[in-house]
Amino acid sequence: MPLVDCGNGVRLERGVECRLSDGTILVSDHYYPAGEGPWPTLLMRQPYGRDIASTVVYAHPVWFARNGYHVAIQDVRGRGGSGGEFYPFRHEAHDGAESIAWLRGHAACDGRIGMYGFSYQGATQLLAAVEQPEGLVCIAPHMTAADLYYGWFYHHGALRLSTTLGWGIQMLREDARRKGLREASARLEATWVNIRNQALQAPYADHPAITDPQLPSYVRDWMSHREAGDYWSGQDISKSYERILIPALHIAGWFDTYLEGSIAGYVDLRKHAGSEFARKNQYLIAGPWVHIPWGDRAGDVDFGEAANLNTDEILLRWFNHWLKDSREFGSEARLRYFALGPNEWRTAAEWPGEAEFALYLHSGGSANSRKGNGRLAMTAPENEEPRDVFVYDPEVPVMAPGGPQALSGCFDQATLEMGSNVAVYTSEPAARAMEVFGQPRIRLFAATSAAHADFTAKLVRVKTNRRAEFLCIGIARSSWLFRETGYAKDEIHRWEFTLEPIAFELAPGERLRLEVASSAFPLYDRNPSTGVAPQQADNWNWARSTQQVIHSATHPSCVYLPVKGAPGW
């Protein structure tokens, strides 16, 4: 096939075939630099179309080729031009390792290979690295998860519903077209364009777009495997960190769906990668970004020009360092993060340890909504304060921070906080600046009238103009949190769980706010409260429940913050 001229001496070869040991043929597009090779090679393995090449966030492969790299963009098994059946994650370790072995023998490759890509393309890197293929020198997994159960699909027992269903429908669309299933394809397309209503189907496991028996089962499998176990660990690296022996440049976004998975992957590889060399050479950049795109906007907030970090230039320097021996990445900080508020980049030697600074919940018994009397203070309750009571109704759940579509970003929560089904606790104005960096957690003493319950905890920064900006959220499901000890209705239980990681600075005059509720739909699936599996529940088996939040001398509910330096009060 003739090469395509891409300018500046760069040439493109389309449809290059790699035959795997099982006979499956994977197809890739190759971009060659000007001049004579061989060159170091960059590989991206992805399921969305090799011609796209993740250019929604990265420079086009032509750009990397102009900078002296042979670039291969490969369709994974069962996608694009590649043969075989697609089942997300299941084949990527073996297929990735065989593709790398094949690339090493390619005339354009000098034997040194790096991988890059975000989201699914990030997972393909981690999975390939576990196989330790010869020639793979470094990886750059961005906005992804090493542990699929905890970092991609479930959060403390609750399914990340909107992203799981939305992404699953996106993937099944190509499966339907490949199989020639016109009716299934029409259902999927109709659902895809009606994004606002995707998650309203109940039971959601019976969503007509995903239940066609001729379609692959993976979306239904994600919904039915509600516990961590072999199904999940068999297709991620959560049990294999010690098998990774190479450097990695991780990128995470404070408002990305897979934020916790990205951070945990970095932290776990810093601790458990299989060599001191690999542990020492894990790097992290955490910016104020959503999944797509990466820039100065997230939700309705402008974070300023500093947020427009040139990740392509950083990525190029990363690969130059490891694949061209330029050593130009050696002066980079191990960890670079964006602090919300001052909207500036800061550095740290390590990811922070467990959050220790406590703000305690107080009220006069009516913390319902931001019109109530809920307070956050540095001192613990000294007596038996009146309990805060609210009703959880799965038919009318509290919405996600980004509203009915669970949009990602730093959205104003003031309207949502007017609902009495949310308990709201607000601090006094800060007297001085206070930096929070790391992973907050909550310790909540609570009782519910149902034997199956959820609690959510959300941190909000209240600016001097009264705007209530979303920072981070966490959830825990009783069936997950108390899976070993058991849970009983109308009894006080200690709910302790982490929120998503964050970095922000509370300025003088600003307040910190904690919202406590029992849903954040459709970011998370709703708990039916009845013991019916959430994916099989609908309005015939949903039940309301009454939740009590206790804050007293014997039950001091609080939120723990990873504060750097002195607190703000």
Side-chain angles (χ1 to χ4, degrees), residues 169-404:
I169 289 170
Q170 179 186 3
M171 294 292 97
L172 288 173
R173 290 162 71 211
E174 181 168 338
D175 292 311
R177 290 192 294 266
R178 286 174 71 99
K179 294 175 178 293
L181 304 175
R182 284 196 169 272
E183 291 185 9
S185 178
R187 285 192 294 270
L188 287 160
E189 293 299 327
T191 303
W192 179 250
V193 299
N194 192 8
I195 296 175
R196 187 181 179 91
N197 292 326
Q198 275 183 10
L200 291 178
Q201 170 72 34
Y204 62 80
D206 293 340
H207 197 299
I210 67 173
T211 52
D212 190 314
Q214 298 179 89
L215 289 172
S217 65
Y218 51 79
V219 180
R220 302 190 299 277
D221 295 343
W222 299 335
M223 295 171 176
S224 63
H225 288 85
R226 303 194 66 88
E227 302 289 338
D230 292 343
Y231 171 79
W232 298 106
S233 61
Q235 49 196 344
D236 65 24
I237 70 162
S238 58
K239 305 293 186 184
S240 308
Y241 292 113
E242 74 285 350
R243 290 191 54 77
I244 292 187
L245 305 176
I246 56 176
L249 171 61
H250 307 257
I251 289 182
W254 294 137
F255 304 106
D256 175 40
T257 303
Y258 310 124
L259 167 62
E260 192 160 13
S262 297
I263 300 295
Y266 163 77
V267 171
D268 287 337
L269 285 171
R270 279 285 288 156
K271 294 178 180 178
H272 306 301
S275 68
E276 182 179 356
F277 170 74
R279 292 190 293 272
K280 180 180 177 182
N281 287 294
Q282 302 296 313
Y283 290 79
L284 172 66
I285 298 172
W289 304 316
V290 296
H291 198 59
I292 305 170
W294 310 346
D296 59 11
R297 303 296 200 279
D300 52 6
V301 172
D302 179 353
F303 293 113
E305 186 57 33
N308 286 323
L309 191 68
N310 193 327
T311 50
D312 290 322
E313 290 287 352
I314 293 172
L315 195 55
L316 182 64
R317 291 173 44 236
W318 170 257
F319 288 129
N320 286 346
H321 181 94
W322 296 111
L323 302 180
K324 293 185 177 181
D325 301 321
S326 71
R327 318 324 297 168
E328 61 192 276
F329 213 80
S331 60
E332 281 289 323
R334 180 81 56 219
L335 197 163
R336 188 193 314 195
Y337 66 95
F338 192 89
L340 308 178
N343 293 340
E344 63 186 23
W345 291 97
R346 296 175 179 175
T347 61
E350 297 291 346
W351 182 258
E354 190 171 88
E356 297 292 348
F357 172 71
L359 283 175
Y360 293 89
L361 279 62
H362 296 267
S363 83
S366 57
N368 308 74
S369 85
R370 60 181 167 84
K371 298 176 288 184
N373 55 22
R375 298 183 293 112
L376 289 177
M378 293 174 61
T379 56
E382 296 180 352
N383 50 42
E384 190 74 20
E385 296 181 352
R387 299 179 181 186
D388 295 310
V389 182
F390 65 88
V391 174
Y392 163 62
D393 184 354
E395 193 161 357
V396 189
V398 174
M399 288 290 107

Side-chain angles (χ1 to χ4, degrees), residues 4 24-26 29 46 52 55-56 84 92-93 108 154 158 162 209 216 240 268 320 334 337 342 360 443 513 526:
V4 177
T24 301
I25 293 176
L26 304 185
D29 288 347
Q46 53 70 55
I52 298 174
T55 48
V56 289
E92 306 306 354
Y154 285 86
S162 58
S240 308
D268 287 337
N320 286 346
R334 180 81 56 219
Y337 66 95
Y360 293 89
R443 183 183 68 192
R513 179 170 288 164
R526 46 194 154 184

Side-chain angles (χ1 to χ4, degrees), residues 73-113:
I73 311 295
Q74 185 182 68
D75 291 328
V76 300
R77 179 187 294 256
R79 311 303 280 184
S82 293
E85 293 290 324
F86 178 68
Y87 192 105
F89 310 105
R90 180 168 286 176
H91 305 287
E92 306 306 354
H94 178 267
D95 289 1
E98 286 205 0
S99 296
I100 289 166
W102 167 77
L103 264 182
R104 286 190 73 238
H106 194 287
C109 180
D110 71 359
R112 291 185 291 183
I113 299 169

Side-chain angles (χ1 to χ4, degrees), residues 475-520:
I475 189 171
R477 181 153 291 170
S478 59
S479 57
W480 180 87
L481 192 62
F482 305 103
R483 58 194 181 281
E484 296 181 358
T485 59
Y487 186 81
K489 65 179 182 179
D490 297 324
E491 293 185 9
I492 297 175
H493 292 269
R494 173 173 164 165
W495 295 69
E496 189 154 354
F497 56 92
T498 55
L499 283 63
E500 297 272 9
I502 193 64
F504 67 93
E505 187 174 290
L506 199 67
E510 294 182 343
R511 302 169 187 259
L512 193 67
R513 179 170 288 164
L514 175 72
E515 298 175 18
V516 176
S518 284
S519 59

